[in-house]
Amino acid sequence: MSDKTRGGQFLVKETKCEDIFTPEDFSEEQLMMRDSVKEFVDKELWAHKDRFEKKDYAYTESSMRKAGELGLLGVAVPEEYGGLGMGFVSTMLVCDYISGATGSFSTAFGAHTGIGTMPITLYGTEEQKKKYVPKLASGEWFGAYCLTEPGAGSDANSGKTKAVLSEDGTHYSITGQKMWISNAGFCSVFIVFARIGDDKNITGFIVENDPSNGISMNEEEHKLGIRASSTRQVFFNDTKVPVENMLSERGNGFKIAMNALNVGRIKLAAACLDAQRRVTSNAVKYANERIQFNTAISSFGAIRSKLAEMATNAYAGESASYRAAKDIEDRIAAREAEGTSHQEAELKGVEEYAIECSILKVAVSEDVQACADEGIQIFGGMGFSEDTPMESAWRDARIARIYEGTNEINRMLSVGMLIKKAMKGHVDLLGPAMKVSEELMGIPSFDTPDFSELFAEEKGIIANLKKVFLMVAGSAVQKYGPDLDAHQQLLMAASDILIEIYMAESTILRTEKLAKNQGENKVQEQIAMAKLYLYKAVDIVNSRGKEGIISFAEGDEQRMMLMGLKRFTKYTNNPNVVALREVITSKLVAENEYCF
């Protein structure tokens, strides 16, 4: 299998724009799918937004049934189990556009199609898949996922729920308490994680929701956001589960949980995209209508700056999310071509890109929060009122940084997984890191390169930002070795550098591809967004790089690395940031919506 299909390679390889997938590459079929999802969302969800805010759980459930009737709950499910069997990019697309109207529905949808159905599709036996998946794909049944416990959150493998085999060996009795269970109030089947004996790792089980079988629940939780998403504590008291309902093998639960979360993470990034488009569009419309000092506020620089940043982050999030989705899809196809089963191919395909999944989860969940926050600000006092959609968008966005693994956990995972891949020889970090330290010792070139081609300088800067990561992470690994895990603040700084590299590079490559296909003059706004995003990324890399270097290096080493940082984050021609924002906002204001 070619090197191009390895996760994490973006850091040490130059990617050509022709080799990445962008939202402009959607097929006719994908565009039709997108439009039918948007129609469903506008009619069933957006038009009834107030019902979700008033905790109308029954409406969430009936909307989920309608989504099931339209086939939207089965997009990722293979056809032989009643699904549409669509590729990974199409499943991302549906998840993206179905999630923009309200976090309540998108949580129900994500929990059901992702962590509720996916573990059975990917780890279930043939019998289990035939029995459960068609009902889940059609929306006749809903799924929920019981991993978290009062004492087991980020440390998911520390759960206390027990599974005890009966004397006659026919069933397990499960006893324990689970919390924050999405869809608990209306689900038919749970994926439950429990420990057998003193096993090191937990085990997964498929448990039907039958109150007469020792299953009880607390009332609905009162939450800051996602108010009509059913979230309850679930108690299992000697709940009997037939042995054939064990998922995969004994002790495999932690692995199932982690792999389900990898898929969940990239889908969560997708689920934050349309929310940004909608918030940005609403903010633009309001800014165009709101008159102060005899002028629409959309003509004021302070507001224009906000709109430009909101649109730019949404565009960057799309660029990176669909790039990774297609890489996963290609990896799955390559595995299947080698004769691997669909189940195994999908698992391995997503696992291969676990680093990118974590990067996206962090970046896009933080951008959607910033977007909603600025949305409130543009609306001013009205933004704080429940009469406008901004405050609910802001509340709903907040959970995205917590579930599917907190952003702190995902930050540390992204760097940790990358270093593990390097140790296994899957990504050569050592060679490039050595080259960077040699470069630091050498005399810098003072030639002015030829930057006449579009993005020539920006691509040079991206290459240099990669050197910053290799310099900082390389030195940290040399210094701390396997104890690096204990230096969380350093990992966090390194991961911010890694995140910005992937996001900025994806945005530039998407835009370069667009300019080649449509002509530079047609995509001036996208070029401005790519340049603006990179400018901001360089700033972050600079500040996080400096923090890392001055915290773990001293003396000559520190001086040399700081000089390197300065060299690697320097523009030859600084962009005019205000002018870039003006280009972007002029288009938004003229179109009266997010239009990229």
Side-chain angles (χ1 to χ4, degrees):
M1 206 174 287
S2 78
D3 237 6
K4 177 189 165 287
T5 56
R6 300 235 70 142
Q9 282 286 9
F10 71 90
L11 192 66
V12 289
K13 289 252 157 63
E14 192 191 340
T15 307
K16 293 193 163 27
C17 71
E18 292 79 8
D19 292 338
I20 73 157
F21 180 87
T22 74
E24 289 74 34
D25 298 323
F26 290 140
S27 65
E28 282 299 313
E29 186 193 23
Q30 285 168 328
L31 292 172
M32 279 164 59
M33 192 75 193
R34 180 191 71 184
D35 293 343
S36 66
V37 171
K38 275 163 84 170
E39 191 185 334
F40 165 76
V41 171
D42 286 332
K43 198 167 109 215
E44 304 293 342
L45 310 180
W46 188 257
H48 302 282
K49 205 168 161 59
D50 57 321
R51 295 183 70 168
F52 294 102
E53 295 318 307
K54 290 183 181 129
K55 304 188 182 182
D56 188 341
Y57 300 105
Y59 192 69
T60 301
E61 186 182 347
S62 70
S63 304
M64 282 286 286
R65 293 227 185 272
K66 281 185 186 146
E69 285 157 22
L70 293 171
L72 299 175
L73 300 181
V75 276
V77 172
E79 290 178 43
E80 62 265 40
Y81 308 111
L84 298 177
M86 291 194 159
F88 201 83
V89 172
S90 298
T91 66
M92 278 282 283
L93 185 66
V94 170
C95 185
D96 170 351
Y97 281 91
I98 211 164
S99 302
T102 163
S104 299
F105 181 86
S106 78
T107 300
F109 177 84
H112 170 76
T113 56
I115 49 183
T117 307
M118 188 78 66
I120 308 180
T121 319
L122 296 186
Y123 286 96
T125 61
E126 196 52 41
E127 291 68 39
Q128 288 168 344
K129 287 189 288 190
K130 281 191 174 131
K131 183 173 179 186
Y132 294 108
V133 177
K135 287 181 170 157
L136 291 166
S138 67
E140 180 189 339
W141 279 22
F142 293 118
Y145 178 88
C146 300
L147 178 63
T148 306
E149 298 183 14
S154 293
D155 182 4
N157 204 24
S158 65
K160 304 268 184 290
T161 298
K162 287 279 177 217
V164 181
L165 186 62
S166 61
E167 280 187 12
D168 63 2
T170 59
H171 62 267
Y172 284 92
S173 284
I174 294 183
T175 301
Q177 175 185 3
K178 298 289 184 179
M179 70 191 303
W180 309 127
I181 306 307
S182 296
N183 295 353
F186 59 82
C187 80
S188 326
V189 65
F190 297 106
I191 310 284
V192 181
F193 295 92
R195 193 177 312 279
I196 303 172
D198 293 325
D199 286 3
K200 177 173 171 261
N201 291 324
I202 50 183
T203 299
F205 295 89
I206 303 170
V207 182
E208 293 184 23
N209 182 9
D210 171 8
S212 69
N213 186 14
I215 300 176
S216 59
M217 292 181 203
N218 271 9
E219 286 304 296
E220 291 286 353
E221 299 285 354
H222 298 287
K223 307 184 297 290
L224 170 72
I226 56 170
R227 289 186 168 170
S229 149
S230 171
T231 313
R232 295 186 170 193
Q233 288 194 40
V234 182
F235 302 90
F236 297 96
N237 188 2
D238 262 341
T239 300
K240 299 196 178 9
V241 183
V243 287
E244 59 268 22
N245 273 30
M246 183 189 285
L247 197 52
S248 184
E249 55 227 44
R250 177 172 175 169
N252 227 0
F254 186 59
K255 196 175 170 188
I256 296 174
M258 291 306 101
N259 279 330
L261 290 175
N262 283 335
V263 184
R265 282 169 186 148
I266 186 167
K267 294 280 174 75
L268 180 59
C272 295
L273 293 174
D274 196 48
Q276 289 180 77
R277 294 186 201 104
R278 282 176 186 263
V279 166
T280 305
S281 290
N282 272 288
V284 172
K285 285 182 172 66
Y286 186 81
N288 277 335
E289 285 163 15
R290 173 76 171 161
I291 307 292
Q292 288 295 282
F293 311 103
N294 294 326
T295 314
I297 64 170
S298 61
S299 63
F300 297 131
I303 301 290
R304 292 173 82 82
S305 162
K306 292 183 191 305
L307 293 172
E309 301 284 347
M310 290 157 76
T312 297
N313 286 340
Y315 178 75
E318 288 175 357
S319 308
S321 297
Y322 286 104
R323 171 191 184 180
K326 184 67 162 80
D327 283 340
I328 291 172
E329 183 169 292
D330 289 347
R331 182 79 179 179
I332 293 169
R335 288 249 171 202
E336 287 188 318
E338 288 171 359
T340 315
S341 73
H342 175 73
Q343 267 173 298
E344 187 68 7
E346 185 141 335
L347 272 173
K348 288 283 182 265
V350 175
E351 203 176 344
E352 181 62 52
Y353 286 94
I355 295 165
E356 287 81 353
C357 292
S358 280
I359 286 173
L360 288 163
K361 191 273 178 181
V362 173
V364 188
S365 67
E366 291 179 1
D367 285 341
V368 73
Q369 184 86 58
C371 182
D373 199 73
E374 291 288 43
I376 289 180
Q377 198 67 13
I378 290 167
F379 272 67
M382 283 306 292
F384 205 70
S385 159
E386 288 186 2
D387 294 338
T388 62
M390 289 298 164
E391 64 87 41
S392 65
W394 185 85
R395 284 186 290 97
D396 283 353
R398 188 60 188 84
I399 186 63
R401 284 152 53 201
I402 297 170
Y403 58 20
E404 308 285 347
T406 66
N407 284 10
E408 290 68 29
I409 287 281
N410 274 293
R411 276 190 162 87
M412 290 183 292
L413 267 176
S414 60
V415 179
M417 291 186 292
L418 186 63
I419 291 167
K420 278 202 186 76
K421 279 199 152 194
M423 306 273 190
K424 283 187 186 160
H426 291 180
V427 177
D428 176 20
L429 290 187
L430 208 59
M434 298 296 285
K435 276 204 189 102
V436 174
S437 50
E438 282 161 27
E439 188 176 338
L440 289 179
M441 300 291 218
I443 297 161
S445 148
F446 293 107
D447 302 341
T448 307
D450 170 19
F451 289 146
S452 53
E453 249 188 51
L454 177 66
F455 292 138
E457 178 166 7
E458 286 76 10
K459 281 155 79 176
I461 289 172
I462 293 274
N464 281 340
L465 297 185
K466 294 178 183 181
K467 289 175 188 171
V468 175
F469 180 84
L470 291 165
M471 174 175 78
V472 174
S475 305
V477 171
Q478 274 175 328
K479 183 158 186 161
Y480 300 115
D483 298 336
L484 186 61
D485 280 1
H487 298 269
Q488 291 195 346
Q489 296 191 48
L490 194 55
L491 283 173
M492 302 286 277
S495 82
D496 281 346
I497 299 173
L498 188 65
I499 289 167
E500 291 308 321
I501 290 169
Y502 189 70
M503 301 302 288
E505 181 182 68
S506 302
T507 310
I508 283 170
L509 291 174
R510 172 188 182 181
T511 311
E512 185 190 6
K513 188 174 183 180
L514 199 55
K516 280 186 176 174
N517 290 337
Q518 296 186 12
E520 279 180 48
N521 56 336
K522 293 248 172 67
V523 293
Q524 286 304 306
E525 296 82 15
Q526 286 90 334
I527 291 172
M529 288 194 283
K531 289 182 173 179
L532 180 62
Y533 192 92
L534 179 65
Y535 175 78
K536 288 305 216 6
V538 170
D539 253 4
I540 293 168
V541 170
N542 203 356
S543 105
R544 301 299 270 155
K546 182 178 174 187
E547 183 188 318
I549 293 165
I550 61 181
S551 300
F552 78 83
E554 43 204 23
D556 281 348
E557 185 193 15
Q558 186 190 91
R559 267 194 300 281
M560 205 174 72
M561 287 175 76
L562 286 173
M563 272 167 55
L565 180 67
K566 198 170 172 181
R567 190 198 301 180
F568 294 144
T569 52
K570 197 167 116 286
Y571 275 89
T572 306
N573 309 290
N574 282 303
N576 179 336
V577 179
V578 172
L580 290 176
R581 290 197 195 113
E582 271 304 306
V583 169
I584 300 160
T585 309
S586 298
K587 176 83 167 167
L588 289 168
V589 166
E591 299 283 339
N592 205 26
E593 64 177 359
Y594 177 85
C595 51
F596 303 111

